[in-house]
């Protein structure tokens, strides 16, 4: 029986995908990998230090562990990528090309996470169609569009079973923010519990698609389980669960923490990225082609995030001021 490799396993998605895969397939069959050493959370099964820009390292790990499916998560997120675009190209494109090459050589299936970042300012912003203009103005978006196209090419030209999803902002109670534009929607919960206050770097009316991580993990597993012949879009399904603004999120949190206060100090870099992205995307093709349906809306996600984070964060006296999330 072949095994599973997760690259970028220490990141926001990997921190919840690895445990979900191990729960489903068995701990020893899921090889977590990252360029950094694992945090404790992932240290309960096989781990490999892996630089995904090294073809030889990927080949060695895939062959040593008899890998049949690769979940390729290693990448720089949008805000970090915009501050170091050359590195973002090298990491995001260098890794996806080499992972696809090894998938071709070793007959592996591949999961690739695209993003709402694959769209740009000329894309229709409301109910963004599955098939539409993709002219992103960020390096992250360029690497996501190129990644989608490269996965399509390897699927068509070489028969690689590559599949992918255009994720919205993802909200996780497990992994802290990791350099994305949508990280405010994670950090705000840590600050609300700890200090009852958050300083937001996006305008209160900045509308973006979001999704709670349990929904995102289930979407990955359901897509990879789907019959290949039903997937017309295979590498780039639009996916969403909610279209919200920071003001919406503040209101939902105040249902649980009435005294929660918000301050806005706009970060021009992340505001410009957010303004270039859709405000709501149409995920009807994912619903039609493989039965996608979210479970968590804003109310349910907020309640579960506060419940889970309250178990690991000790509220601090608000007079002690605010700090960044861990
Ligand atoms: C980011 O903000 O960069 C990511 C994304 C929306 O792809 N969370």
């Amino acid at each position: 029986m072949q095994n599973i490799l997760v690259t970028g396993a220490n990141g926001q998605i990997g921190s919840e995908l690895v445990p979900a895969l191990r729960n489903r397939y068995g701990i020893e069959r899921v090889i977590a990998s990252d360029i950094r050493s694992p945090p404790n959370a992932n240290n309960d099964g096989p781990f490999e230090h892996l630089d995904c820009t090294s073809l030889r390292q990927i080949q060695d790990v895939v062959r040593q562990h008899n890998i049949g499916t690769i979940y390729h998560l290693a990448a720089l997120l949008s805000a970090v990528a915009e501050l170091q675009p050359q590195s973002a190209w090298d990491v995001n494109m260098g890794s996806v090309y080499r992972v696809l090459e090894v998938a071709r050589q070793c007959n592996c299936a591949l999961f690739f996470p695209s993003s709402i970042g694959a769209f740009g300012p000329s894309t229709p912003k409301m109910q963004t169609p599955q098939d539409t203009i993709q002219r992103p103005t960020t390096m992250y978006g360029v690497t996501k569009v190129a990644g989608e196209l490269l996965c399509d090419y390897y699927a068509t030209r070489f028969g690689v079973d590559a599949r992918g999803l255009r994720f919205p902002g993802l909200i996780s109670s497990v992994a802290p923010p990791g350099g994305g534009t949508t990280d405010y929607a994670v950090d705000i919960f840590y600050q609300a519990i700890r200090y009852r206050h958050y300083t937001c770097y996006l305008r209160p009316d900045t509308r973006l698609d979001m999704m709670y991580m349990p929904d995102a993990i289930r979407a990955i597993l359901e897509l990879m389980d789907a019959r290949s012949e039903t997937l017309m879009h295979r590498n780039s399904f639009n996916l969403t669960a909610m279209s919200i603004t920071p003001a919406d999120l503040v209101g939902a949190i105040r249902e649980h923490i009435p005294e929660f206060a918000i301050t806005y100090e706009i970060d021009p870099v992340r505001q410009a990225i957010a303004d270039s992205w859709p405000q709501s995307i149409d995920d009807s093709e994912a619903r039609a082609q493989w039965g996608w349906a979210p479970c968590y809306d804003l109310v349910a996600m907020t309640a579960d995030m506060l419940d889970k984070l309250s178990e690991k964060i000790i509220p601090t006296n608000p007079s002690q001021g605010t700090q960044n999330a861990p």
Side-chain angles (χ1 to χ4, degrees):
M1 189 178 293
Q2 291 192 294
N3 298 317
I4 292 166
L5 172 65
V6 179
T7 73
N10 298 340
Q12 188 191 34
I13 298 174
S15 297
E16 295 197 49
L17 180 61
V18 168
L21 289 168
R22 285 175 171 166
N23 184 50
R24 190 182 209 199
Y25 296 106
I27 291 176
E28 295 310 313
R29 286 195 55 210
V30 181
I31 315 310
S33 73
D34 203 291
I35 199 165
R36 298 168 290 134
S37 296
N40 295 331
N42 272 353
N43 213 11
D44 62 356
F47 177 87
E48 291 282 0
H49 282 94
L50 176 58
D51 174 356
C52 289
T53 61
S54 163
L55 183 68
R56 182 58 187 273
Q57 287 189 30
I58 304 168
Q59 288 169 330
D60 289 348
V61 169
V62 166
R63 289 169 178 154
Q64 285 164 12
H65 291 278
N66 182 30
I67 300 297
T69 303
I70 303 171
Y71 292 81
H72 178 51
L73 308 179
L76 299 184
L77 292 180
S78 59
V80 169
E82 213 50 35
L83 296 176
Q84 41 186 319
Q86 293 76 14
S87 300
W89 176 267
D90 289 343
V91 170
N92 293 11
M93 290 317 299
S95 66
V96 71
Y97 167 67
R98 288 168 176 81
V99 167
L100 279 165
E101 264 297 284
V102 174
R104 177 183 67 81
Q105 296 163 5
C106 302
N107 194 29
C108 298
L110 173 74
F111 174 77
F112 171 75
S114 186
S115 161
I116 56 174
F119 299 114
S122 55
T123 305
K125 283 202 175 292
M126 300 304 288
Q127 286 305 296
T128 301
Q130 175 68 49
D131 298 307
T132 187
I133 302 165
Q134 288 183 263
R135 305 290 290 183
T137 51
T138 64
M139 176 57 89
Y140 177 73
V142 168
T143 67
K144 288 304 181 183
V145 173
E148 289 181 10
L149 295 174
L150 205 54
C151 288
D152 275 343
Y153 179 80
Y154 269 74
T156 307
R157 179 71 171 71
F158 301 115
V160 172
D161 183 6
R163 307 182 186 196
L165 300 170
R166 287 174 185 152
F167 279 127
L170 298 180
I171 298 166
S172 164
S173 63
V174 173
T181 298
T182 60
D183 286 352
Y184 86 88
V186 179
D187 199 12
I188 194 170
F189 286 99
Y190 286 87
Q191 305 295 313
I193 293 167
R194 187 166 285 143
Y195 303 112
R196 300 301 193 259
H197 176 268
Y198 178 61
T199 300
C200 185
Y201 55 77
L202 293 182
R203 288 193 314 267
D205 63 345
T206 306
R207 181 168 298 282
L208 292 170
D209 284 281
M210 296 283 179
M211 179 179 292
Y212 195 29
M213 189 63 80
D215 269 344
I217 300 304
R218 179 172 53 82
I220 294 171
L221 299 180
E222 289 178 2
L223 174 69
M224 298 303 280
D225 281 346
R227 290 185 298 112
S228 181
E229 58 273 18
T230 65
L231 303 178
M232 292 190 302
H233 290 85
R234 78 163 34 250
N235 285 307
S236 53
F237 282 98
N238 284 4
L239 204 73
T240 188
M242 61 191 93
S243 167
I244 62 172
T245 66
D248 295 330
L249 194 45
V250 169
I253 291 172
R254 282 176 174 160
E255 291 298 314
H256 300 264
I257 308 174
E259 69 274 25
F260 175 55
I262 186 84
T263 304
Y264 292 96
E265 291 180 7
I266 308 311
D267 170 4
V269 171
R270 285 183 282 189
Q271 188 65 57
I273 294 172
D275 290 344
S276 73
W277 288 354
Q279 293 183 6
S280 68
I281 64 174
D282 171 7
D283 63 0
S284 56
E285 289 302 331
R287 294 167 185 262
Q289 295 181 33
W290 49 276
W292 162 245
C295 292
Y296 289 88
D297 61 9
L298 175 60
V299 172
M301 178 270 293
T302 301
D304 199 65
M305 274 290 282
L306 291 173
D307 181 48
K308 287 196 166 56
L309 288 179
S310 298
E311 294 168 6
K312 61 181 185 177
I313 296 175
I314 300 170
T316 304
N317 181 337
S319 65
Q320 289 182 319
T322 60
Q323 293 177 356
N324 291 328

